[in-house]
Amino acid sequence: MQLPDMNLLVALDALLDEGSVVGAARRMNLSPAAMSRTLTRIREAVGDPILVRAGRGLVPTPKALQLQGQVRNVVEQAALLFRSADQVDLSTLRRRFSVRANDFFIGVYGGRLFDTMERMAPLCELCFVPEGDTDDEALREGRLDLRVSNTMPASPEVKVQNLFSTTFVGLAREDHPLFDEEITAARFASYSHISISRRGIARGPIDTALNAQGLERRVALIAPGFHGAMFMLPDSDLLLPVPKEALLSANRLKLPLRAFALPISLPTLVLAQSWHPRFDKDPAHRWLRETMRESCHATWLEAQPA
DNA sequence: ATATTACCGGGCTACCACAC
DNA sequence: GTGTGGTAGCCCGGTAATAT
């Protein structure tokens, strides 16, 4: 069987990623003219224009967008074949690591993670992507390097490693009437709450715990993320349960908020990172996972009460 | 500014002739 | 039969010019 020139795949990956002939040429140490001719060969091989002129630049065709994930996957797998199983030169490593996490994790843990990555692998990019419904598929296709979540992946082949566990505390404006007397479950339930949910779900473990005591709370506001919700507290009587590490963000932002221990018992939340086994032996990915684990641990320690 | 094309040169390979 | 050297053709990259 006559195989096509596999170098075209590497060039196609660069072209689709950069979206320009000049950018892809720079990345592959070629002249723009040489890359333009490579694009011509790719067009002939694929039978599609791949990138078409739009003013000064180029835009991808639907076929190109459809191929992008597959091409990246194949190129990464091919690169792995030639890479030592244990070594990676972080100083020259050019790679974008996509991590899916919620805004609590990004806001509290993302900064230290990025700082460590920036110092060790200055040419790498960290790309946080919002949580989605097709995590396992994204991991499998290589669109996602890591997923950080408290829910287990649906696919049994996906690898999981615990990062840290956390518990919830309550947040309210510092002069909230809640602080005038002892914070009982009944008083906690008597104020309106913010519930954090991307899918608009108002009920959760807090409601279960209150119901067990014959109490019920009113969720007056549903927000997609903790950080945005925190900014609503100073102007309202709302209460916001947050993972206790989120207090780091509240303190840094110098928000006029006060934390309180929840008067109910909630299960401990365990956050874990998960990845597809295809990346298990990849030294760069292994470094990412290790860096994630260590930077999370350092942030977690900082957030613990003295 | 960026993409494409024309033209040129270097490297590689297939093919052939020749010597051993 | 095998190894070596010469040649032609192809592929690909560079520069420069042109088109968008």
Side-chain angles (χ1 to χ4, degrees), chain A residues 12-280:
Chain A
L12 178 56
D13 181 46
L15 281 162
L16 293 177
D17 204 34
E18 296 284 341
S20 92
V21 169
V22 168
R26 202 177 298 128
R27 187 191 286 195
M28 294 189 69
N29 294 317
L30 291 175
S31 67
M35 185 50 70
S36 178
R37 275 195 299 276
T38 302
L39 176 56
T40 303
R41 293 196 292 279
I42 291 170
R43 285 168 172 156
E44 287 166 0
V46 178
D48 184 89
I50 299 296
L51 293 166
V52 293
R53 285 293 279 259
R56 284 176 175 175
L58 297 169
V59 291
T61 64
K63 174 78 171 178
L65 294 173
Q66 178 202 335
L67 287 175
Q68 188 163 22
Q70 275 178 280
V71 171
R72 165 56 55 90
N73 186 8
V74 170
V75 169
E76 279 175 358
Q77 291 296 304
L80 264 181
L81 280 174
F82 294 99
R83 208 180 295 155
S84 159
D86 303 317
Q87 293 175 349
V88 57
D89 184 357
L90 295 174
S91 65
T92 59
L93 180 68
R94 282 179 188 275
R95 186 153 159 183
R96 173 181 285 186
F97 292 110
S98 294
V99 177
R100 182 163 283 168
N102 65 15
D103 91 308
F104 154 66
F105 181 86
I106 295 170
V108 177
Y109 290 85
R112 192 187 295 263
L113 172 65
F114 171 75
D115 180 57
T116 309
M117 287 184 67
E118 182 76 347
R119 280 186 285 106
M120 295 177 74
L123 301 180
C124 286
E125 290 174 13
L126 178 61
C127 177
F128 281 118
V129 291
E131 291 182 289
D133 298 328
T134 56
D135 287 351
D136 290 358
E137 196 182 318
L139 287 170
R140 195 180 303 128
E141 290 175 1
R143 285 184 281 118
L144 206 57
D145 288 289
L146 281 179
R147 165 185 180 270
V148 176
S149 176
N150 63 321
T151 58
M152 288 296 111
S155 305
E157 79 268 20
V158 172
K159 306 255 185 174
V160 179
Q161 181 185 43
N162 288 352
L163 291 173
F164 58 90
S165 58
T166 186
T167 52
F168 276 72
V169 296
L171 265 183
R173 63 181 165 88
E174 59 189 0
D175 52 352
H176 196 288
L178 178 76
F179 300 114
D180 294 346
E181 295 172 42
E182 186 193 353
I183 301 172
T184 61
R187 292 192 65 235
F188 172 67
S190 68
Y191 292 98
S192 294
H193 290 216
I194 302 179
S195 177
I196 304 302
S197 171
R198 284 175 298 110
R199 299 186 181 86
I201 299 167
R203 293 183 59 82
I206 293 174
D207 300 278
T208 309
L210 288 173
N211 293 165
Q213 298 185 38
L215 297 167
E216 201 157 334
R217 67 169 179 164
R218 175 181 174 241
V219 173
L221 201 153
I222 300 170
F226 290 99
H227 287 91
M230 277 197 285
F231 282 95
M232 300 181 193
L233 296 177
D235 303 320
S236 70
D237 280 347
L238 290 164
L239 304 182
L240 173 65
V242 295
K244 65 174 184 288
E245 290 80 14
L247 299 181
L248 281 177
S249 298
N251 292 338
R252 282 176 188 158
L253 293 167
K254 299 195 177 358
L255 292 172
L257 303 178
R258 186 169 160 189
F260 60 94
L262 293 180
I264 50 173
S265 174
L266 289 179
T268 301
L269 196 68
V270 178
L271 262 83
Q273 59 178 343
S274 50
W275 65 95
H276 196 268
R278 59 191 297 203
F279 290 124
D280 214 33

